[in-house]
Amino acid sequence: MADVRITYDKSVDAAYVCLTEPQARVKSACMYPRDPVDVDGMINLDFDEQGRLIGIEVLAASSKLPEYSLRSADRLDTDGA
């Protein structure tokens, strides 16, 4: 199973699930937002120039992702707690 990297910033309650290889420097060519009304939080899907899904941004992440995923995520906020 491939490793999936998750980053999390608790100060803004946002997480990013990166689906590319850790060494890859892939830029997002387009982003498709998911209506917050439908999911009670914003979820954005990032695709590369070939149309492959490369990442998922999750706002209001603490209510959308399992707690263990956020605990093990690379922290981007300054407090790290």
Side-chain angles (χ1 to χ4, degrees), residues 18-67:
C18 185
L19 303 174
T20 62
E21 294 181 32
Q23 304 86 353
R25 298 282 181 207
V26 180
K27 288 192 167 206
S28 176
C30 60
M31 183 269 298
Y32 295 98
R34 184 68 184 137
D35 189 339
V37 173
D38 291 344
V39 297
D40 194 27
M42 180 64 84
I43 297 175
N44 298 313
L45 304 176
D46 289 334
F47 292 85
D48 67 9
E49 291 177 344
Q50 286 76 40
R52 294 178 296 229
L53 181 63
I54 59 171
I56 304 165
E57 180 184 34
V58 182
L59 304 180
S62 62
S63 67
K64 300 292 166 247
L65 296 175
E67 186 177 332

Side-chain angles (χ1 to χ4, degrees), residues 3-15:
D3 289 334
V4 174
R5 179 174 181 238
I6 300 174
T7 58
Y8 180 57
D9 187 334
K10 186 176 182 179
S11 66
V12 292
D13 196 18

